[in-house]
DNA sequence: TTAAGTGCAAAGGCTTTGCAGCATA
DNA sequence: TATGCTGCAAAGCCTTTGCACTTAA
């Protein structure tokens, strides 16, 4: 996993522009998932002339450099987050739309088992759960 | 899980049109995943005036009736498949794009564990793997 | 007969791309 | 200075929708 604390190290070999610096900072500050549109909304506050095209081009670069990961969380648009050394998975609440991250050691075991049994080489594993978060579950119970 | 062998039972309450009959038949015959565009290509062979709009509207109906499931397999478009009683998960090869289904009992255990630990009510679980299938892995080894 | 489905074309959302000008190294 | 990035606008996908016509029940 790359060191993303130091931007200048992180994107060595590519020009470090003000836009890229800003965007990576914003993604880092988002502290979770963010999609292109929301990133654009936040970026405009600091740089009112930045364009959506730059957002997309930067996201692609960051992804290729391994700085961020792209997720498809059942929604229409992709979500991005800073690459994290610790693997984690996602739960999306059907009521409130909240995305909750979790992790569980069984997942690695599962990946290992599947690789062995099926002969795959796995480069990426996503475990995606959908349902009701604790709060919304309570609400449902109360209303019924 | 609904009985999809008998179309007239399956979509009770909604008009059974020639288009719907055709589309459900094609999805069933696809025997795996199919996206809207490919479904459209095949449908046109039998009904050259069918429209993409009808494909999408039918897919949505089928999905709402629980006849088919929608998957987001890392690609741009959604894929659909007949709802199956046996849960299964997906592996997508990064080289050849092939989608391989597999199942593993550990998954249910994992879902159970997460529900307990996190307090979620899980209504849908997807385990998505990406990597190299056995054939493409061999090819890579040979070329290097 | 009537509520619902269909085809067509247009529009919508998300993402990519061509191009001329600008900035980084 | 030269390569590569940027903003802008246009275009590209995939999907949805408005409308007038048609069809299943």
């Amino acid at each position: 996993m790359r060191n993303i604390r130091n931007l200048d190290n992180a994107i060595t070999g590519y020009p470090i522009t003000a836009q890229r610096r800003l965007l990576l900072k914003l993604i880092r500050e988002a502290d979770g998932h963010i999609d292109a549109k929301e990133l654009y909304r936040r970026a405009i506050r600091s740089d009112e002339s930045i364009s959506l095209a730059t957002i997309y081009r930067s996201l692609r670069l960051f992804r290729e450099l391994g700085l961020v990961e792209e997720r498809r969380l059942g929604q229409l648009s992709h979500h991005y987050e800073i690459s994290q050394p610790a693997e984690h998975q996602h739960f999306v609440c059907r009521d409130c739309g909240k995305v909750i991250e979790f992790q569980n050691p069984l997942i690695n075991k599962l990946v290992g088992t599947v690789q062995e049994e099926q002969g795959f080489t796995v480069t990426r594993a996503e475990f995606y759960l959908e349902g009701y978060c604790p709060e919304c579950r309570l609400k449902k119970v109360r209303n019924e």
Side-chain angles (χ1 to χ4, degrees), chain A:
Chain A
M1 202 61 60
R2 278 162 160 282
N3 168 23
I4 56 116
R5 298 303 148 209
N6 184 327
L7 176 70
D8 299 21
N9 280 350
I11 60 181
T12 286
Y14 295 81
I16 298 164
T17 64
Q19 292 90 335
R20 290 178 180 170
R21 188 173 267 123
L22 170 64
L23 293 177
L24 204 48
K25 169 171 162 284
L26 289 176
I27 300 174
R28 205 181 288 147
E29 286 174 3
D31 191 38
H33 318 81
I34 191 168
D35 61 10
K37 205 164 140 197
E38 179 58 27
L39 186 55
Y40 178 59
R41 270 194 223 102
R42 298 188 191 179
I44 276 201
R45 294 181 203 150
S46 308
D47 173 358
E48 61 180 21
S49 78
I50 201 169
S51 73
L52 246 185
T54 295
I55 308 286
Y56 280 109
R57 284 190 279 231
S58 299
L59 283 173
R60 180 199 277 180
L61 174 68
F62 296 163
R63 200 176 52 207
E64 282 167 1
L65 289 174
L67 298 175
V68 306
E69 313 231 331
E70 186 184 84
R71 309 272 175 191
R72 318 227 165 178
L73 298 175
Q75 280 100 31
L76 298 99
S77 60
H78 312 159
H79 285 222
Y80 298 84
E81 64 185 324
I82 291 290
S83 296
Q84 295 177 12
E87 298 276 343
H88 65 274
Q89 308 301 327
H90 301 88
F91 170 90
V92 177
C93 179
R94 295 177 63 174
D95 263 5
C96 64
K98 187 164 52 188
V99 177
I100 301 174
E101 297 175 357
F102 65 92
Q103 57 181 130
N104 191 293
L106 268 179
I107 291 168
N108 287 333
K109 192 172 170 187
L110 179 53
V111 172
T113 307
V114 173
Q115 288 198 102
E116 258 181 50
E117 288 183 3
Q118 313 282 333
F120 300 152
T121 302
V122 174
T123 57
R124 182 175 161 204
E126 295 226 13
F127 191 49
Y128 167 72
L129 297 181
E130 211 175 272
Y132 300 98
C133 69
E135 292 75 35
C136 290
R137 187 176 59 169
L138 274 180
K139 261 185 248 155
K140 276 178 81 79
V141 173
R142 288 202 190 107
N143 293 338
E144 271 160 16

